[in-house]
Amino acid sequence: MTDLPLTTLTRVRRGAHHQVTDRAALYDVIDGALYATLAIVRDDRPIALPVGIGRDGDDLLVHGSTGSDFFRRIAAGAPVCVTVTHLMGLKYARSLFDSSMRYRCAVVHGVASVVRPEEKEAALLALSEHLMPGRSADVRPMTSREIAATMVLRIPLAEASVKDNAGSLVEVDDDGEDRRVWAGMLPLRVVAGEPVTSAQTVAGVAVPESVRRAARRIQESGTA
Amino acid sequence: MTDLPLTTLTRVRRGAHHQVTDRAALYDVIDGALYATLAIVRDDRPIALPVGIGRDGDDLLVHGSTGSDFFRRIAAGAPVCVTVTHLMGLKYARSLFDSSMRYRCAVVHGVASVVRPEEKEAALLALSEHLMPGRSADVRPMTSREIAATMVLRIPLAEASVKDNAGSLVEVDDDGEDRRVWAGMLPLRVVAGEPVTSAQTVAGVAVPESVRRAARRIQESGTA
């Protein structure tokens, strides 16, 4: 895989030593995320909303209603910024100034292209596989009406930056801070609870393996 | 408290029945969050980055380095969009089309004002109290140099929208779907792990009550 390019948009300006240009790190951040914050410019103002995401090779996938003004603007070529953040912990330094958060974050810049009708079902299945792996085999196929009502957008993972400050310490050797003050990390993770069966599901129908698998994926990565 | 106003920017366009205009709901989403995605327009493009947040009454607080181009643009009056998302679960419907996520989300629009030097220390303590409650009493006071190096911005919580789809079902009575297919919810929550003491902390220094309290807050809300 090629490294992520450093451009005006992707060169991290603050905390640059935490920038990671390994493309695999970008895919790892995205694959461990169920949603991203998708930002566009509308009437000279920023507007940023959470959206479910998927990945198909070197493209990020998002989907929305064909009736959505937000998605229509993106389909029409409005530049997007897609931000994925995994908060991994709170870093308690010996001063408030040096305290911070531990996180992994990806920021993708680009212009989306609309997935063509003949490729839409495959793209929707890729999204479904990302969000609810194996679920498509549990349920009926999508109808052509459902497919038509959904817009799928492809955003190339070409101009993107990743920041990961996991390696940074809460202390340095000679910082002059009082080491009798506790310093450390409060780790944070996302966990999945026990699946809740809906009231109308026929009695005795077991929680599918696909749902257990989604729960395990989250348990293992600690992210969603 | 007054309700949140419905304006061109805050009226939810998709899934409008999930919009909540109760101001307390906005504060609840913000108070349960350690960070937000902060979006601005730069050179006609959106740029959105994660930032730590706090709240002081009817204002959202964010802070950054005085040397940050991103924060300088905001200080200079660039309109912002602040998005806070709590992903609460995956909703497994009986079709992929009806499947979705359970979430609570706040979107704040506005222009920030720079906190004046004489109010900066109090604002930084409010931020610290939001992110690491009680921690300021554990550590040395901030120095004037540290305070000078930090920019604190106040964003009025005047034009904001909240969306909460917790109440929506994964099924409706007469949707014609096969009820022998399992439907339900996979709940997700953020949890805090056991605090990790840094290597340079003097042996025998206990994890402070403030850190335990932060962990309990996250445990109770399930959000961060």
Side-chain angles (χ1 to χ4, degrees):
Chain A
M1 284 195 283
T2 56
D3 268 7
L4 297 169
L6 291 176
T7 70
T8 311
L9 284 172
T10 65
R11 190 180 296 275
V12 169
R13 301 174 185 209
R14 307 298 306 175
H17 54 297
H18 296 314
Q19 179 159 18
V20 183
T21 55
D22 181 3
R23 182 170 285 272
L26 172 67
Y27 294 177
D28 196 52
V29 169
I30 291 170
D31 292 351
L34 298 174
Y35 76 96
T37 302
L38 179 52
I40 63 167
V41 178
R42 187 176 74 192
D43 304 333
D44 301 322
R45 283 172 163 276
I47 173 161
L49 301 174
V51 297
I53 58 168
R55 185 171 68 85
D56 178 23
D58 296 334
D59 290 335
L60 189 76
L61 297 174
V62 298
H63 67 317
S65 166
T66 51
S68 155
D69 171 74
F70 185 69
F71 279 97
R72 282 182 180 181
R73 285 171 188 263
I74 298 170
V80 298
C81 176
V82 189
T83 307
V84 177
T85 307
H86 298 304
L87 179 60
M88 313 296 282
L90 279 168
K91 296 171 73 168
Y92 284 81
R94 291 189 179 85
S95 65
L96 297 183
F97 188 75
D98 285 329
S99 297
S100 61
M101 296 189 207
R102 188 187 152 190
Y103 63 90
R104 290 188 302 146
C105 173
V107 179
V108 180
H109 297 275
V111 171
S113 62
V114 180
V115 170
R116 288 175 303 184
E118 64 272 26
E119 295 171 349
K120 224 194 248 186
E121 185 165 8
L124 283 168
L125 285 172
L127 263 163
S128 171
E129 210 48 38
H130 184 100
L131 297 168
M132 299 178 161
R135 181 62 173 170
S136 62
D138 298 342
V139 297
R140 63 166 176 75
M142 292 178 273
T143 67
S144 51
R145 193 172 168 173
E146 290 171 342
I147 296 170
T150 310
M151 185 190 291
V152 190
L153 298 163
R154 209 176 260 284
I155 300 162
L157 293 169
E159 197 159 14
S161 64
V162 176
K163 219 170 149 182
D164 181 343
N165 70 354
S168 68
L169 302 169
V170 296
E171 57 199 347
V172 287
D173 275 351
D174 53 356
D175 61 3
E177 301 289 351
D178 184 349
R179 294 177 192 174
R180 292 166 301 180
V181 173
W182 185 88
M185 163 85 72
L186 181 65
L188 301 174
R189 52 189 293 119
V190 179
V191 296
E194 185 58 26
V196 180
T197 301
S198 79
Q200 295 193 18
T201 298
V202 167
V205 172
V207 175
E209 171 54 25
S210 64
V211 179
R212 301 279 180 206
R213 201 189 318 164
R216 276 198 302 274
R217 203 282 301 154
I218 291 160
Q219 227 68 23
E220 281 159 21
S221 68
T223 63
Chain B
M1 284 196 283
T2 55
D3 268 8
L4 297 168
L6 291 175
T7 70
T8 311
L9 285 171
T10 65
R11 191 180 296 277
V12 169
R13 302 173 185 209
R14 309 297 307 175
H17 56 294
H18 296 315
Q19 179 158 18
V20 183
T21 56
D22 181 3
R23 183 170 284 272
L26 172 65
Y27 293 177
D28 196 53
V29 169
I30 290 170
D31 292 351
L34 298 173
Y35 76 95
T37 302
L38 179 53
I40 64 167
V41 178
R42 187 175 76 191
D43 305 333
D44 301 323
R45 283 172 163 276
I47 172 160
L49 301 174
V51 296
I53 58 167
R55 184 171 69 84
D56 178 23
D58 295 334
D59 289 336
L60 189 77
L61 297 174
V62 298
H63 67 317
S65 165
T66 51
S68 154
D69 172 74
F70 185 68
F71 278 98
R72 284 182 178 180
R73 286 171 186 264
I74 298 170
V80 297
C81 177
V82 189
T83 306
V84 177
T85 307
H86 297 305
L87 179 60
M88 314 295 283
L90 280 169
K91 297 171 71 170
Y92 284 82
R94 291 190 179 84
S95 65
L96 297 183
F97 188 75
D98 286 328
S99 297
S100 61
M101 296 189 207
R102 188 187 152 191
Y103 63 91
R104 291 188 301 145
C105 174
V107 180
V108 179
H109 297 276
V111 172
S113 61
V114 180
V115 171
R116 287 175 304 184
E118 65 271 27
E119 295 172 348
K120 225 191 234 184
E121 185 165 8
L124 283 168
L125 285 172
L127 263 163
S128 171
E129 211 46 40
H130 183 100
L131 297 168
M132 298 177 162
R135 181 62 173 170
S136 62
D138 298 343
V139 295
R140 64 167 175 73
M142 291 177 273
T143 66
S144 52
R145 192 174 168 171
E146 288 171 344
I147 296 170
T150 310
M151 186 190 291
V152 190
L153 298 163
R154 209 177 259 286
I155 300 161
L157 293 169
E159 196 158 16
S161 63
V162 176
K163 219 171 150 184
D164 181 343
N165 71 354
S168 68
L169 303 170
V170 296
E171 56 199 350
V172 287
D173 275 351
D174 54 355
D175 62 1
E177 301 290 350
D178 184 350
R179 293 178 191 172
R180 291 168 300 181
V181 173
W182 185 88
M185 163 84 75
L186 181 65
L188 301 175
R189 53 189 294 119
V190 179
V191 298
E194 186 58 25
V196 180
T197 300
S198 79
Q200 295 193 17
T201 299
V202 167
V205 172
V207 176
E209 171 56 23
S210 64
V211 178
R212 299 281 180 205
R213 201 190 315 163
R216 278 199 301 274
R217 203 282 301 154
I218 292 160
Q219 228 66 21
E220 281 159 20
S221 67
T223 63

